[in-house]
Amino acid sequence: MSRIRRAAMPSLAEMGVVPFHDPGVRRFLFVVPPLPGHVEPTVALGAELARRGHQVAWAGHPGSVKPLLEPTARLFPTRDKGFTARLARSRDARLTLRGPAALRFRWEDFIVPLGHGMVPGVEAAVEQFRPDVIVSDQQAPAGAVVALRHGLPWATSASTSAAFAPALPGLPKVDGWVTAQLAGFQRAHGLEDPVDLRFSDHLVLGFSAAALIGDPERFPGHVVFVGPVPRRPSVDDFPWEWLEAPAPTVLVSLGALHSPAEERFARIAGDAVRELGLRAVFGTPPGGIGAPPTNVLVREHVPLPRLLPHLSAVLTHGGHDTVCETLAHGLPLVVAPVRDDEPVLARQVAATGAGVTVRFARVQADELRKALTAVLSDQTYRSAARRIQSSLAAAGGVAEAADRLEKLA
């Protein structure tokens, strides 16, 4: 990797800035996008660092990020009214995109403009907070750029295993196009010799299962897979008595139904479980599957951590949190990916043997019924899931991530 030539702005050390805090205490600044799945790992990691006596703060959009933080957390705002308005206008369009169009939108309409909008706020945070280390999410490249401009150590926060695989296999020019987007972003902020802002040369924290990546040994030693961070408990009003009768139980995790295609899939899933001798909990708003069969319970909010010990398998679109929490309990999956990193995660699950994938837009009830029957009856899927479960148990979690950051500082 080529050496960074910094912009004219001197580093804090070159400016003679001396930290005012206890030299045994380090300051960590998390730079995050307005995406819950990307913020949540940093909340748990920040709590661990604070428990060890360090100071932590975040930089991000207040309206989206602040509700995800602890009430006493310090947040430096990175407001950009133009970007916020633009994102709101394009949200509905994003939900209809797939494949290359979705990838193009993610970079041209979200990651790059978000980065430009965040840079001034991150600069202000560095000026006020004087961090020893910046932890930059992969979809908030402003953190990495500001760290490079100031000569600060920085770490990457990779919230999903999809970050370590090609977004669109078979289209090698796509990776070159993404690299060009990042290079242009850096040049706009004075970095003459761009690097891949998605992967720090100092430390990359992968909040995922190494076993999903394939062969993690191919990565250098500063790339560390610490496993996912368990989500915080949700309000629990689940009718647990519904699970008392003996029968296999599956979770059909659908979330909000944003489009006709998602509504169609929900109905197909309802038809698929109707004739199976099992119970199915559907995580989706009431009415999403019409009149549910007698063996189906529909709940808009599902307490997943508490429910998983009662399950035999999970059908999901492939969200990273749901996939990892399911595998952490040694359960097999059926994955019907829709957008974003879901297709990559679906391929990873299938490659490990821990589940099967189905075509979200084209699947019929018979195919979905066969997929569920396969993961429930063929023990090879459960065995593969349990191998990943062991990998996750040995990953180290936020304690390992905090150890690595302390060494970096």
Side-chain angles (χ1 to χ4, degrees):
M1 183 175 292
S2 55
R3 190 171 70 86
I4 296 291
R5 292 197 298 275
R6 282 179 296 198
M9 182 178 294
S11 70
L12 297 178
E14 291 168 337
M15 294 167 57
V17 174
V18 178
F20 294 106
H21 53 282
D22 184 333
V25 175
R26 295 291 180 261
R27 297 186 180 192
F28 298 90
L29 177 66
F30 295 96
V31 181
V32 293
L35 300 169
H38 294 245
V39 178
E40 288 167 355
T42 70
V43 174
L45 179 51
E48 175 63 18
L49 290 167
R51 187 189 67 79
R52 299 183 183 196
H54 302 299
Q55 296 185 29
V56 295
W58 283 260
H61 282 60
S64 299
V65 175
K66 190 172 181 58
L68 302 171
L69 304 178
E70 296 298 332
T72 58
R74 187 174 185 181
L75 174 65
F76 292 94
T78 59
R79 292 184 179 90
D80 182 346
K81 293 182 180 179
F83 171 75
T84 302
R86 178 181 179 181
L87 183 63
R89 289 193 301 267
S90 60
R91 183 174 290 114
D92 290 343
R94 181 190 74 84
L95 296 174
T96 67
L97 299 176
R98 306 283 187 274
L103 183 72
R104 188 181 188 93
F105 176 92
R106 189 186 315 157
W107 283 95
E108 291 186 342
D109 292 83
F110 182 76
I111 296 177
V112 171
L114 173 68
H116 288 309
M118 289 183 69
V119 165
V122 178
E123 287 281 5
V126 168
E127 178 67 24
Q128 297 176 52
F129 187 60
R130 293 286 193 258
D132 297 290
V133 172
I134 290 179
V135 183
S136 182
D137 184 90
Q138 288 185 313
Q139 294 196 25
V145 157
V146 173
L148 292 169
R149 289 171 59 167
H150 285 273
L152 285 168
W154 64 287
T156 295
S157 174
S159 62
T160 169
S161 58
F164 302 91
L168 297 172
L171 297 175
K173 291 184 179 180
V174 168
D175 285 338
W177 180 83
V178 169
T179 300
Q181 300 302 304
L182 287 168
F185 173 74
Q186 291 171 81
R187 283 192 292 269
H189 294 283
L191 295 181
E192 302 171 15
D193 195 2
V195 299
D196 192 338
L197 299 179
R198 296 170 297 176
F199 301 100
S200 167
D201 284 341
H202 303 282
L203 176 64
V204 177
L205 296 172
F207 291 97
S208 189
L212 278 174
I213 311 298
D215 178 18
E217 298 298 323
R218 72 181 188 275
F219 297 102
H222 70 279
V223 179
V224 185
F225 298 97
V226 300
V229 175
R231 69 183 73 183
R232 286 178 283 185
S234 58
V235 176
D236 183 358
D237 61 349
F238 190 83
W240 297 102
E241 66 278 4
W242 193 77
L243 300 175
E244 291 176 358
T249 304
V250 300
L251 170 66
V252 183
S253 178
L254 301 177
L257 305 178
H258 295 290
S259 69
E262 290 172 307
E263 293 171 358
R264 171 196 173 275
F265 184 87
R267 293 192 297 271
I268 291 292
D271 290 341
V273 302
R274 188 184 304 272
E275 304 299 328
L276 294 176
L278 51 75
R279 286 180 300 233
V281 179
F282 275 62
T284 195
I289 65 170
T294 57
N295 63 331
V296 168
L297 175 68
V298 179
R299 306 290 293 182
E300 186 167 7
H301 302 289
V302 175
L304 185 61
R306 285 195 62 196
L307 185 61
L308 280 165
H310 301 273
L311 300 178
S312 301
V314 172
L315 165 61
T316 173
H317 289 323
H320 181 260
D321 287 348
T322 300
V323 167
C324 283
E325 289 186 62
T326 300
L327 294 172
H329 282 76
L331 298 177
L333 294 130
V334 175
V335 187
V338 183
R339 63 178 65 87
D340 299 330
D341 62 349
E342 293 168 356
V344 180
L345 281 154
R347 290 192 294 269
Q348 290 176 339
V349 169
T352 64
V356 298
T357 63
V358 296
R359 302 164 298 175
F360 163 76
R362 298 181 181 180
V363 69
Q364 298 296 327
D366 284 347
E367 181 186 358
L368 200 51
R369 193 177 297 117
K370 289 177 182 177
L372 284 167
T373 300
V375 299
L376 288 169
S377 60
D378 187 338
Q379 289 301 308
T380 59
Y381 294 108
R382 183 176 291 272
S383 296
R386 286 176 174 167
R387 287 196 296 272
I388 300 177
Q389 180 184 30
S390 299
S391 168
L392 288 169
V398 293
E400 176 66 18
D403 288 346
R404 297 287 183 141
L405 284 174
E406 285 181 323
K407 293 176 183 177
L408 180 59

